[in-house]
């Protein structure tokens, strides 16, 4: 899939990446510009199993995916053409260790106009899509899941913190974290 995306980009101009989860607070790549952005037809959802980054095969964690429907506020990063191949290769190692996302070029609306950006989407048909989880399942995952980059709870809390810093409201994530906080009292 990396070769497909590299081919679609072509390497002749800068390109954009859409961040809606940890990329917002930990991009780990050089970028020339960052803008707030909204994608129509997709929404951020803590509905993807993570068996490496935020969990293990024995105790899967969760990470965000972009699912069809609704809209999603996030940020876009402009990647200079000169470092594009390097950035995509690094990003692939981080985001696609098991190839679970469906990378797509989506139209992102920014304050200064629309841009096409690479986004990591999730198919509801993917074996990594959680489907509907109960509150008890979320509580257990937030309590127990930990992978190479830390816990699912830390990931969710840091994402919410950065979303708030960017003036982005995610009511579903707020509700999930409020539920966990109430359990811990």
């Amino acid at each position: 899939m990396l070769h497909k995306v590299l081919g679609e980009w072509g390497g002749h101009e800068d390109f954009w990446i859409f961040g809606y989860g940890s990329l917002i607070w930990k991009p780990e790549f050089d970028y020339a510009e960052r803008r707030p952005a909204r994608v129509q037809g997709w929404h951020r959802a803590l509905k993807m199993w993570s068996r490496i980054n935020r969990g293990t095969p024995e105790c899967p964690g969760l990470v965000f995916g972009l699912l069809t429907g609704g809209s999603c506020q996030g940020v876009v990063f402009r990647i200079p053409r000169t470092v594009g191949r390097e950035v995509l290769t690094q990003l692939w190692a981080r985001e696609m260790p098991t190839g679970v996302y469906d990378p797509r070029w989506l139209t992102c609306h920014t304050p200064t106009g629309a841009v096409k950006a690479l986004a990591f989407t999730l198919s509801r048909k993917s074996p990594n899509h959680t489907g509907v989880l109960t509150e008890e399942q979320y509580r257990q995952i937030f309590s127990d899941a930990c992978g190479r980059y830390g816990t699912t709870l830390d990931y969710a809390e840091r994402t919410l913190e950065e979303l708030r810093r960017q003036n982005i409201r995610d009511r579903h994530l707020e509700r999930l974290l409020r539920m966990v906080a109430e359990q811990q009292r």
Side-chain angles (χ1 to χ4, degrees):
M1 282 193 276
L2 173 59
H3 295 295
K4 179 178 183 269
V5 167
L6 285 167
E8 291 167 347
W9 165 50
H12 304 295
E13 56 190 36
D14 295 355
F15 67 92
W16 296 85
I17 295 172
F18 180 65
Y20 56 89
S22 63
L23 286 180
I24 295 174
W25 49 268
K26 191 176 180 184
E28 296 183 323
F29 52 77
D30 292 329
Y31 55 90
E33 184 180 355
R34 174 187 174 127
R35 296 183 198 168
R38 176 186 291 275
V39 173
Q40 293 297 125
W42 298 87
H43 69 280
R44 175 182 25 257
L46 195 59
K47 295 273 188 180
M48 189 168 99
W49 293 118
S50 175
R51 294 175 177 90
I52 296 173
N53 292 348
R54 296 291 170 169
T56 64
E58 301 77 30
C59 185
L62 297 173
V63 292
F64 288 103
L66 270 184
L67 294 175
T68 55
S71 68
C72 180
Q73 288 182 275
V75 297
V76 287
F77 301 92
R78 183 169 57 86
I79 309 301
R81 176 191 59 80
T82 55
V83 296
R85 178 176 287 277
E86 176 186 337
V87 166
L88 281 173
T89 301
Q90 290 172 340
L91 193 57
W92 232 256
R94 171 182 160 170
E95 299 294 326
M96 298 283 283
T98 59
V100 297
Y101 285 112
D102 297 322
R104 298 177 191 269
W105 296 94
L106 301 178
T107 300
C108 299
H109 302 278
T110 78
T112 55
V115 298
K116 284 278 190 199
L118 180 65
F120 292 95
T121 68
L122 178 64
S123 168
R124 285 183 170 82
K125 295 177 183 175
S126 169
N128 289 297
H129 178 252
T130 65
V132 176
L133 295 174
T134 66
E135 286 187 4
E136 186 52 40
Q137 287 173 304
Y138 275 112
R139 283 186 186 102
Q140 181 273 318
I141 292 164
F142 283 138
S143 171
D144 300 340
C146 185
R148 72 177 175 178
Y149 293 141
T151 67
T152 294
L153 180 57
D154 177 61
Y155 170 81
E157 288 174 337
R158 291 194 65 193
T159 300
L160 182 60
E161 184 180 298
E162 187 59 26
L163 290 173
R164 286 178 172 160
R165 215 182 335 266
Q166 300 293 323
N167 294 314
I168 298 171
R169 186 98 194 257
D170 188 319
R171 287 179 176 84
H172 183 68
L173 181 57
E174 289 171 2
R175 186 182 64 76
L176 286 175
L177 292 174
R178 198 169 36 251
M179 174 191 67
V180 170
E182 288 168 2
Q183 177 193 12
Q184 293 174 343
R185 287 186 205 157

